[in-house]
Amino acid sequence: MARTERQTGGEVLERTRQQTKKPELFKVLLLNDDYTTMDFVVEVLESVFHKPPAEAYRIMMAVHTQGKGLCGLYPYEVAETKVSTVVELARGNGFPLRATMEPE
Ligand code: TYC
């Protein structure tokens, strides 16, 4: 027999392996410091990470009391842009606020 396909009697074999890679996600974290105001951090969480006010306040307090806090999970380039945007906004307002990213 010349054909190399498996004879399935017309049945379609399902692929069990994913053909397209699902995007790998990265955590974006805010870090605590002693100088950035709480109001500014809440503003950043609302404007850059689109958090509703109560959630933004909760995350800010988690960073304040625990040293760091999760802002969201994003594909690599989006995470990088969020980190740069936070740092640029902070420096533009004279604050030392830092953000980092790490694999999920
Ligand atoms: N610790 C800061 C203060 O007491 C507030 C703060 C919260 C700063 C979160 C950074 O990511 C941060 N003013």
Side-chain angles (χ1 to χ4, degrees), residues 26-30 49 69-72 74 79 82-83 99-101:
F26 289 77
K27 293 179 186 168
V28 173
L29 304 160
L30 275 187
F49 298 96
L70 181 64
C71 305
Y74 304 95
K82 299 278 183 202
V83 169
T100 59
M101 58 191 276

Side-chain angles (χ1 to χ4, degrees), residues 1-30:
M1 180 168 51
R3 284 159 56 88
T4 54
E5 293 95 344
R6 285 173 57 192
Q7 300 300 293
T8 62
E11 175 191 353
V12 176
L13 288 178
E14 281 178 37
R15 289 184 195 281
T16 52
R17 290 232 322 256
Q18 242 179 308
Q19 272 195 309
T20 50
K21 282 192 292 173
K22 61 179 172 199
E24 217 187 321
L25 298 180
F26 289 77
K27 293 179 186 168
V28 173
L29 304 160
L30 275 187

